[in-house]
Amino acid sequence: MAEKVPAVQGSILPDVIDGRHTYAWERVLIYLAQTGGDGDGSIVSKGEVAGALGLSPNTTDYAMTLLRRRGLVSASQRHAPDGGQLANVYRLTEEGVLEAARLMLRAFTPRASAAASA
């Protein structure tokens, strides 16, 4: 299995939340938050996100669409002087920032049942 290396130094991308594997949209949301999407915006292409997370381009596209439809992420197009399209700027909405924080908290907080059995 290929190692998935995020493009952000020191980032943490959970593989498991609440005892289940993370959904692609959850990983993309957390990745965007860690690459600046919760501030001025994350300037990344879907291909870069897919490569960093080890997802297929179609899965990444679906996850981005889902995040925008749920109101967790906004996307702004960028264009080169010659009119060519550049990588979008992705920004987390206020709800997106909160959801990313909730996901990270759930991913790294021991579950009550696991803590009780220890």
Side-chain angles (χ1 to χ4, degrees), residues 5-72:
V5 180
V8 179
Q9 191 72 308
S11 70
I12 300 171
L13 295 170
D15 290 325
V16 176
I17 295 177
D18 295 335
R20 60 156 174 80
H21 288 286
T22 55
Y23 293 111
W25 70 266
E26 293 170 325
R27 298 194 67 187
V28 170
L29 182 65
I30 292 168
Y31 180 81
L32 291 175
Q34 292 180 348
T35 58
D38 58 349
D40 292 335
S42 179
I43 301 175
V44 293
S45 69
K46 291 177 187 173
E48 291 170 333
V49 174
L53 300 178
L55 301 172
S56 74
N58 286 344
T59 298
T60 303
D61 183 55
Y62 180 77
M64 293 285 210
T65 299
L66 186 65
L67 291 170
R68 287 194 312 273
R69 286 184 182 164
R70 289 184 176 178
L72 300 176

Side-chain angles (χ1 to χ4, degrees), residues 34-116:
Q34 292 180 348
T35 58
D38 58 349
D40 292 335
S42 179
I43 301 175
V44 293
S45 69
K46 291 177 187 173
E48 291 170 333
V49 174
L53 300 178
L55 301 172
S56 74
N58 286 344
T59 298
T60 303
D61 183 55
Y62 180 77
M64 293 285 210
T65 299
L66 186 65
L67 291 170
R68 287 194 312 273
R69 286 184 182 164
R70 289 184 176 178
L72 300 176
V73 172
S74 67
S76 302
Q77 292 184 352
R78 297 182 326 124
H79 294 89
D82 66 359
Q85 187 170 351
L86 302 172
N88 288 340
V89 178
Y90 294 98
R91 288 184 181 87
L92 275 62
T93 62
E94 187 175 320
E95 182 59 37
V97 171
L98 293 173
E99 183 63 22
R102 283 190 285 259
L103 290 169
M104 290 296 287
L105 186 63
R106 286 175 32 215
F108 296 107
T109 301
R111 294 173 64 189
S113 60

